[in-house]
Amino acid sequence: MSFEAISNFVAAILTLFIFSFLYKDNPFYKFAEALFIGVSMGYAIPLVYENAFMPFVYTPIFVEHKFIIIIPALMGSLYIFRFTKNLSWLSRYPIVFGMAIVGMGVPMSIHSSVLVQMRSAMLPMDNINTIIIFIGTVTILLYFFFSKAHRGFYGKVTNVGVWFLMVGFGASFGYTVMARISLLIGRIQFLVGDWLGLIK
Amino acid sequence: MAKLNVFDRMQKLDRRWIYLVVALAIILPLIIPFNSKTYVTEPTENVYKKIDSYAGRTDRAILMCFSHDASTMAELFPMEVAILRHCFERKVRVLTICFMPAAKPLMDYAINTAKEDYDVQSGVDYLSFGYKPYSLFLITLLGMGDDIAEAVETDDQGRKIENLEIMKEITNYNEMNLVIDFAASAAVYSWIVYARARFGVNVAAGITAVMAADNYPYLQSGQLIGMLSGLKGAAEYEKLVDIFAMNKDEYGNPDPREFSKEIIKESWIKLSDIENRKYKTARIGMNAQTVAHVMIIVFIIIGNIGYFVSKNKENHIG
């Protein structure tokens, strides 16, 4: 039996263990679930050690003698104190440095998510798409304006916004169904094709 | 005791019967394949055209960022293999990177799967930067805007990338001018916010269908140049590669064609004619997807009829 056949067999059995949950909760499902978590962690820890700790902590300090690295390394190790009740406040210091990224992200996010998006909603209304985008954007924004009661003509306009939102939710739901079915198809393709060899 | 009608019975149906029907709706079309037509959408075409415009150029490369684990492999893996196949076939230089430990084996698997049929060499035709810790994501992303060799330094085999053949004419985003992020999350957003906004790099997304609706606004505003959405996007890309990049002349020699909508309309590819299943995975999957969708639509219609019939009955009793 080749290595591929053995690995396919193990993967197929574990897939069936997970699928068995659809019938009802059982020890086989629990076993496969625990094994998955264990294997993921077992795989991630040496990978992170090899790709993060060794090149960015060990090698600079002990091989290249860049002792300045000791300061951020110690700072980072303060994260471990999250697990103690009395000293958990120490973990806030490395978090503070991490928050600098948020500061950098604010102007860029405003640019990409607000300014550029606004500009693309201000196109000349010379085709049906831009007209729909304009009506959708304005009516939805009005719907989320709560300082005025949604009654009368204003209420009718915000209702149009609700319809646009419903179309958006419908599209999201449709895509979600497609995604979930795709995942099932992927697994069944593996079982029926790679394992049983029934797909030509 | 009141007699139950068919809709009352269906509402009380054990959901495991539904699971069984869904399983059959997927298994049968996979075993008994048919050719459901794949319509190619513009976002997928745009990704294809952009990659193809780098064909044969040594001063251009694309970066494929793998930001997902095995749980979404069914949707994203076929598109990764299709894009890599396109690149290897058309001599487009490919660089790959990942910031998730669980993405590393998938990245290697995708490259190994696609390169089996090509005489391509790591460091010359493609290069894997390997796994980089997520804490270095922004530093790497921004650093590559100035100098890739400085931001990444070594590839997954520990070689200095500045010494490699593939990097000779590739310095930063000016040359590595297309980033495709394969994600089941909002990871692509970071490329838009930082790489696109700061350096003007072209960003495309290969995403799960769940994420597609969220990303359409970025497509409309041009911040994403193209997008492959779920298994459907993968099937579309597989088709484009078969029609254009893999085209053969009358003697069976490679004869890649320029992109044309007319050719797509005229082309009809019989899946059973493609021998290697790895290059039609998404299209076979879409056969099952089609049947499953029809079944779900039928379920929704029956469920709604049942709901209104029951409601009507309650009103009469009330």
Side-chain angles (χ1 to χ4, degrees), chain A residues 4 8 19 21-24 36 40 43-45 47-53 55-56 101-123 129-130 133 168 171-190 192-195 197-200, chain B residues 15-16 19 22-23 26-27 30-31 33 69-75 100-105 108-109 130-133 135-136 138 142 189 192-194 197-198 208-214 216-223 227 229-233 271-272 277 280-282 284-286 288-289 292-293 295-296 300:
Chain A
E4 195 187 351
N8 278 353
F19 278 177
F21 184 78
L22 293 172
Y23 185 72
K24 67 177 185 181
F36 171 71
S40 302
Y43 178 77
I45 290 170
L47 198 69
V48 172
Y49 174 80
E50 196 64 35
N51 289 279
F53 181 77
F56 296 105
I101 294 167
V102 177
M104 186 173 68
V106 169
M108 286 178 159
S109 294
I110 289 174
H111 173 82
S112 302
S113 303
V114 182
L115 299 179
V116 178
Q117 292 305 124
M118 274 171 66
R119 189 177 61 200
S120 63
M122 294 176 193
L123 297 170
N129 286 339
T130 49
I133 288 169
S172 288
F173 177 70
Y175 266 123
T176 304
V177 169
M178 182 174 149
R180 301 301 175 232
I181 294 286
S182 299
L183 299 184
L184 182 60
I185 288 169
R187 271 301 76 194
I188 291 179
Q189 267 185 320
F190 167 73
V192 180
D194 297 340
W195 188 40
L198 295 175
I199 301 177
K200 300 293 169 216
Chain B
R15 64 181 174 183
R16 284 174 290 198
Y19 295 152
V22 172
I26 289 169
I27 293 169
L30 291 177
I31 298 174
D69 58 15
S71 64
T72 47
M73 193 179 164
E75 286 185 273
M100 286 171 67
K104 174 74 168 68
D108 295 341
Y109 188 32
Y131 161 73
K132 304 291 171 196
S135 50
L136 298 176
L138 269 184
L142 294 170
Y189 180 69
I192 293 171
V193 170
Y194 297 102
R198 175 100 166 72
T208 54
V210 172
M211 297 303 300
D214 289 349
Y216 269 102
Y218 297 109
L219 206 56
Q220 187 261 335
S221 64
Q223 297 192 85
M227 184 166 84
S229 315
L231 199 64
K232 172 80 166 69
L271 286 185
S272 52
R277 191 158 66 84
K280 55 178 177 179
T281 310
I284 292 174
M286 282 309 290
Q289 184 85 259
H293 279 197
M295 189 202 66
I296 287 168
I300 290 172

Side-chain angles (χ1 to χ4, degrees), chain A residues 56 97-109 112, chain B residues 63 65 67 97-100 132-148 150-152 173 181 186-199:
Chain A
F56 296 105
F97 280 87
M99 292 303 284
I101 294 167
V102 177
M104 186 173 68
V106 169
M108 286 178 159
S109 294
S112 302
Chain B
L63 176 69
C65 181
S67 308
I97 196 166
C98 69
F99 295 92
M100 286 171 67
K132 304 291 171 196
Y134 188 74
S135 50
L136 298 176
F137 176 65
L138 269 184
I139 298 167
T140 310
L141 186 154
L142 294 170
M144 286 196 294
D146 296 323
D147 188 352
I148 298 167
E150 208 173 287
V152 179
Y173 290 128
D181 191 80
V188 68
Y189 180 69
S190 301
W191 289 101
I192 293 171
V193 170
Y194 297 102
R196 170 83 194 169
R198 175 100 166 72
F199 302 102

Side-chain angles (χ1 to χ4, degrees), chain B residues 70-85:
Chain B
S71 64
T72 47
M73 193 179 164
E75 286 185 273
L76 303 175
F77 190 75
M79 61 176 80
E80 291 156 357
V81 172
I83 289 177
L84 283 165
R85 184 191 185 205

Side-chain angles (χ1 to χ4, degrees), chain B residues 135-178:
Chain B
S135 50
L136 298 176
F137 176 65
L138 269 184
I139 298 167
T140 310
L141 186 154
L142 294 170
M144 286 196 294
D146 296 323
D147 188 352
I148 298 167
E150 208 173 287
V152 179
E153 288 189 5
T154 53
D155 73 344
D156 68 343
Q157 295 172 37
R159 298 175 294 184
K160 284 266 179 200
I161 68 163
E162 62 193 356
N163 302 329
L164 300 173
E165 167 77 21
I166 192 171
M167 298 304 292
K168 272 190 178 161
E169 295 178 60
I170 312 290
T171 311
N172 52 35
Y173 290 128
N174 289 336
E175 292 82 29
M176 189 179 71
N177 199 239
L178 174 63

Side-chain angles (χ1 to χ4, degrees), chain A residues 8 11 14 44 78 88 92 101 110 118 125 142 153 156 179 182:
Chain A
N8 278 353
L14 289 172
L78 294 180
S88 65
R92 291 180 194 161
I101 294 167
I110 289 174
M118 274 171 66
M125 285 189 277
L142 288 173
F153 176 72
K156 281 176 185 162
S182 299

